[in-house]
Amino acid sequence: METIVQYWPWLFLLLPVVYLFGWLKGRSNSADNQSESSHTLSSDYFKGLNYLLSDQQDRALPVFLKLVQIDNETIETHLALATIYRRSGNYDKAIEIHQNLIAKPSLSAKYRSKALLELGRDYLTAGLFDRAEGLFNDVIRSGFYDKAARQYKLTIYQQEKEWLEAITEAKTLIQQGDTNLKPLIAQLYCELSEQFFAKGNIKQAELAIKDALTYNAGCVRALIARVRNAVRIKKYKDAIRYIKQIQQTDSDYFLSVLSYCVEAYRELGKVDELIDYLKLVEKENININLTEVIAGLITEHQSADEAQSYLRKQLSLAPSMNGLASFINLMNKQGDYTCNTHFQEIQKVIESMKKQNEQYHCNKCGYTSGTLNWQCPSCHAWGEIKPVAGNINAQY
Ligand SMILES: [Zn+2]
């Protein structure tokens, strides 16, 4: 029973196979012996199916392959069967069927390319990327299924983190009319930029970011990286200009550059201007995490009383766990409640609740995490993970 449950989702895929077997068998027999042939079909077919269901893949394959001889008319049946094997994780069987097909000299060039493409997919799914890549190159050379082969190559390069190769392949696909790949290319350039940045090659990192923005001027990831690079090479005025651009493009990500914002203004000796700017940002989009940072800056540059009254005012406008925790922290720093153990207990509870909050959320699949991933670890979509408003634990 467990085996049936395991196979049921793709058993539906067998329906066209059953139909085709029936049709082919029916077609090859005259009307007077049709019922007899149907009986033979049923017996052979169900024998094969029984082997599949009882997890005897080795015995099932020859039964199915025996049912239909390979020719241009039956190839779809073989391809469907191989797909079933691949989907159920039986890569060896899928590969065997596809290799059988490719070995037939009678097959048309187009079907041969299709079999090569599917064989490449078998290897890709099995994680044998080098072999898959070679097969996709063969497909591209054949002149058929060029786009599909390139798309699979693009998948391989992304999984292998071969960003330059991925960019080249995506550019070719764009030239062929697939313009919706532009945001992906921007992400790939961002990945390339990260590699350069990690090696300390800021100039190359900068160039890659420029390329990313050429393909997607609103790529928030590239805009954030550009801020970080500017701060790294001490171009603080540029950094502030870029930060303001992010705030206008996608204010949800403003907290991702907040630490750079504070650093840039500090280095320029303009903390009062910074406080004014952050208050302005907060007016447009109340965010208690931003309030925490502003309150910290007010404490540092003006007075603790002013910070507390600012925090209290913002907390009443937008009540949140983080804001409350921040308020209590500030009061503790001022020495108001340090001797009150009950108050300290409340503070501990609030801090642990704050940690449990999800901070980033994938718009596509719902994946949540405490760190910002540009490619979703769950559904592999790019740029779909966004900060959950009010839950980011801003630091500066
Ligand atoms: Zn996702």
Side-chain angles (χ1 to χ4, degrees), residues 24 40 67 80-81 85-86 184 194 209 224 247 283 298 333 349 358 366:
L24 288 165
T40 315
L67 279 171
L81 192 59
Y85 275 115
R86 184 170 65 226
L184 172 68
E194 292 298 322
I209 289 305
I224 292 171
Q247 199 258 318
K283 255 186 192 167
I298 294 175
K333 273 184 198 159
V349 173
E358 65 170 55

Side-chain angles (χ1 to χ4, degrees), residues 362 364-367 376 378-381:
C362 175
K364 211 169 175 193
C365 73
Y367 174 85
C376 175
S378 172
C379 71
H380 303 295

